[in-house]
Amino acid sequence: MLMRHHALRQPRPARRWLFLWAMALLIFSPCALAITGELDLTSSTTGFLALGIFILAYALVMAEEKIHMRKSKPVLVAAGIIWGLIGWVYVQNGLSETSEYAFRMTLLEFTELMLFLLVAMTYINAMEERRVFDALRSWMLRKGFNYRTLFWLTGGLAFFLSPIADNLTTALLMCAVITKVAEGDKRFINLACINIVVAANAGGAFSPFGDITTLMVWQAGIIPFQEFFILFVPALVNFLLPATIMSLVIKDQKPASVYEEVIMKRGARRIIALFLLTITTAVLCHTLLDLPPVLGMMTGLGYLQFFGFYLRKSLPKSLARKREIYSREGDNKKLAQLGSVVPFDVFNRVARAEWDTLLFFYGVVMCVGGLGFMGYLGLLSEALYSGWNPTWANVVLGVVSAVVDNIPVMFAVLTMQPAMSDGQWLLITLTAGVGGSLLSIGSAAGVAVMGQARGSYTFMGHLRWTPVILLGYVASILVHLWLNAASFG
């Protein structure tokens, strides 16, 4: 997607992930998604129609909670119509090969990222099936923390887990703890859920694996893997400042104790280790071999498949051995649990991936790519990055991501290819990542937590604390501008 800009800065082959072998390296070499069509359709009836269709589709996406229609549906249809309109116009002008090439480039961009995300989601689902997250929740419940400790613990874990487990999964896990421990205390649940959403989004902003937007920037080859981590302190400020203010109104009381014992299923710890090995493989493919990181992720899926095969084959012997041990010890509870153990199947985990999210991402990528091909992103880039200072443009786009999902915002910026320093690219990564925290509907984590803590964590409950969250947003930007000033050169 952004290989042209990267190529200007780095003469050797771009170390990007998610591009297919030699052909993809050529295809996605700087120009892939920055393609602008030979025909300027921005002032045409076709262009206006396409723009209107995209706006309508996105209005339906934003109304997902009200109309109960999955967000992937409208953008999938919109993508088909937009590219259909482009194809028709280009066929009429004898330029069908140009539109076909642009569509293929846009599709390949999505495919690479989808495979990366699919592997990550499969590992997360595998750990969920092996009860890793249930065990973590159980541990926190048994400790009997007071409200203030629970507020900081769930927020802190959300911040440090989201760079690895993604902000959505982390937010849901921490929300499950809060709603169970503080059941009935809507005021505390609302406050704790706000903290979790802010922390999860902030934690995801400084890691290439923490959020789709950071993944997109790393994929584009603009920022090296290790450079994302200079956003750690700004992201930490974004979490800590509003959390500190919110914690002042939490009553110093202890919830009723909740006892829940969860035993992880066989192989859980080894799957965690394989996930870390997979991430390491992806990073090494990118940094040492100049190969797309998706190669490492798909190899990691192979690790999981082999391990799943081992778990299935060795299950009978393992069950027989454990039955003998538990019978000798007289542990009837563990004997009963053995009856529920089923063989691990990696393909069941793939099937449980967030397909609505992946298809939504496809629709957004294709819609934005089509509008960019028509020339609209060129106009937007000119207005934002030529008419404004890049810093202000990136700050404003971060606020916009609280209303419009950060995926199309980041994808649009990447497709525009504005000439910016690494510091500015990190700034838009930060603002797009944490800007969604300003509203409960501004991020996938916020929307998911609203569904899980329905009635306790609400849009208006979050909105009352938006000024405090905005304070953290501004502070994180200022810290980045000051602390990482050298990257703006």
Side-chain angles (χ1 to χ4, degrees):
M1 159 163 49
L2 282 164
M3 301 184 95
R4 178 179 301 157
H5 173 72
H6 186 58
L8 292 174
R9 298 190 301 117
Q10 188 173 341
R12 61 182 181 162
R15 299 176 186 159
R16 66 210 64 227
W17 57 281
L18 302 184
F19 292 104
L20 298 170
W21 311 301
M23 180 178 216
L25 286 172
L26 170 65
I27 295 172
F28 286 90
S29 69
C31 38
L33 278 190
I35 294 175
T36 300
E38 295 181 26
L39 304 176
D40 183 359
L41 303 178
T42 55
S43 301
S44 68
T45 303
T46 301
F48 292 143
L49 180 59
L51 195 59
I53 288 169
F54 178 68
I55 292 172
L56 175 61
Y58 216 83
L60 293 174
V61 169
M62 293 174 67
E64 180 185 15
E65 288 296 304
K66 293 289 184 183
I67 62 179
H68 304 292
M69 181 173 68
R70 290 186 179 275
K71 61 182 179 291
S72 60
K73 290 181 173 65
V75 291
L76 283 173
V77 174
I81 295 174
I82 288 171
W83 278 100
L85 291 171
I86 291 172
W88 174 255
V89 171
Y90 273 72
V91 165
Q92 297 302 307
N93 287 272
L95 297 170
S96 58
E97 291 185 359
T98 303
S99 58
E100 180 190 8
Y101 174 81
F103 178 82
R104 290 183 184 277
M105 298 308 98
T106 310
L107 181 61
L108 280 172
E109 177 75 13
F110 161 77
T111 303
E112 297 260 1
L113 186 55
M114 185 205 73
L115 290 175
F116 192 106
L117 291 171
L118 185 61
V119 176
M121 287 177 175
T122 301
Y123 264 102
I124 294 300
N125 284 327
M127 287 187 278
E128 181 182 23
E129 191 273 340
R130 296 285 101 175
R131 309 200 73 184
V132 171
F133 300 126
D134 287 340
L136 177 60
R137 184 187 67 187
S138 171
W139 173 79
M140 286 190 286
L141 292 176
R142 293 197 308 270
K143 289 297 181 180
F145 299 114
N146 63 26
Y147 276 167
R148 187 162 291 164
T149 302
L150 197 62
F151 175 88
W152 280 108
L153 182 62
T154 53
L157 284 173
F159 182 83
F160 287 104
L161 282 177
S162 61
I164 301 172
D166 87 68
N167 51 5
L168 176 58
T169 302
T170 303
L172 288 175
L173 170 63
M174 295 301 115
C175 176
V177 175
I178 291 296
T179 52
K180 186 143 190 173
V181 173
E183 188 174 2
D185 194 335
K186 292 185 177 181
R187 182 174 179 272
F188 174 72
I189 291 175
N190 182 71
L191 205 61
C193 285
I194 295 171
N195 186 46
I196 288 167
V197 170
V198 172
N201 288 336
F206 71 86
S207 163
F209 298 94
D211 190 76
I212 292 179
T213 53
T214 55
L215 211 55
M216 292 163 71
V217 175
W218 185 40
Q219 168 200 344
I222 295 173
I223 302 296
F225 181 84
Q226 68 280 1
E227 199 167 329
F228 283 92
F229 295 99
I230 70 174
L231 289 176
F232 174 78
V233 175
L236 187 62
V237 169
N238 181 270
F239 156 54
L240 287 180
L241 185 56
T244 301
I245 296 173
M246 287 189 288
S247 69
L248 298 177
V249 302
I250 296 176
K251 296 177 182 177
D252 190 15
Q253 65 184 69
K254 213 170 185 180
S257 59
V258 179
Y259 183 81
E260 181 186 25
E261 185 177 2
V262 174
I263 299 175
M264 291 190 294
K265 292 183 182 179
R266 175 171 170 258
R269 292 181 179 84
R270 283 170 285 183
I271 288 177
I272 296 173
L274 286 176
F275 184 45
L276 296 176
L277 177 61
T278 297
I279 292 174
T280 303
T281 304
V283 173
L284 291 178
C285 279
H286 184 60
T287 56
L288 297 183
L289 304 178
D290 283 338
L291 290 172
V294 71
L295 172 64
M297 293 299 286
M298 293 303 291
T299 304
L301 183 59
Y303 302 160
L304 187 59
Q305 286 182 313
F306 267 107
F307 186 62
F309 176 80
Y310 164 76
L311 286 179
R312 288 194 303 276
K313 288 295 184 181
S314 59
L315 180 63
K317 290 183 179 179
S318 175
L319 289 177
R321 185 175 64 253
K322 287 181 179 177
R323 279 197 184 95
E324 183 181 344
I325 295 172
Y326 297 155
S327 296
R328 191 165 54 243
E329 294 175 350
D331 195 330
N332 294 324
K333 185 177 181 180
K334 288 186 178 180
L335 274 174
Q337 287 176 334
L338 283 178
S340 65
V341 176
V342 293
F344 177 80
D345 185 352
V346 70
F347 291 107
N348 284 339
R349 300 305 101 203
V350 173
R352 287 174 58 84
E354 290 289 334
W355 286 101
D356 183 54
T357 298
L358 292 174
L359 291 176
F360 167 70
F361 189 52
Y362 162 84
V364 167
V365 168
M366 301 310 293
C367 285
V368 174
L371 294 175
F373 187 68
M374 287 180 165
Y376 283 111
L377 292 183
L379 291 178
L380 185 59
S381 178
E382 181 70 22
L384 282 176
Y385 291 100
S386 297
W388 291 13
N389 180 288
T391 300
W392 282 110
N394 291 332
V395 170
V396 169
L397 285 173
V399 176
V400 169
S401 72
V403 180
V404 179
D405 191 275
N406 60 359
I407 293 174
V409 169
M410 179 57 78
F411 188 76
V413 174
L414 290 171
T415 308
M416 291 179 213
Q417 297 188 52
M420 298 193 297
S421 63
D422 282 2
Q424 291 291 355
W425 279 109
L426 287 168
L427 178 60
I428 186 59
T429 301
L430 175 69
T431 57
V434 304
S437 300
L438 294 170
L439 297 175
S440 62
I441 61 170
S443 65
V447 172
V449 169
M450 269 203 303
Q452 190 170 15
R454 193 179 301 277
S456 297
Y457 172 57
T458 62
F459 177 84
M460 292 307 299
H462 189 110
L463 189 64
R464 282 194 289 270
W465 288 95
T466 292
V468 173
I469 300 169
L470 181 62
L471 191 62
Y473 177 76
V474 173
S476 65
I477 293 169
L478 293 175
V479 168
H480 173 56
L481 293 174
W482 168 65
L483 199 61
N484 304 318
S487 65
F488 286 84

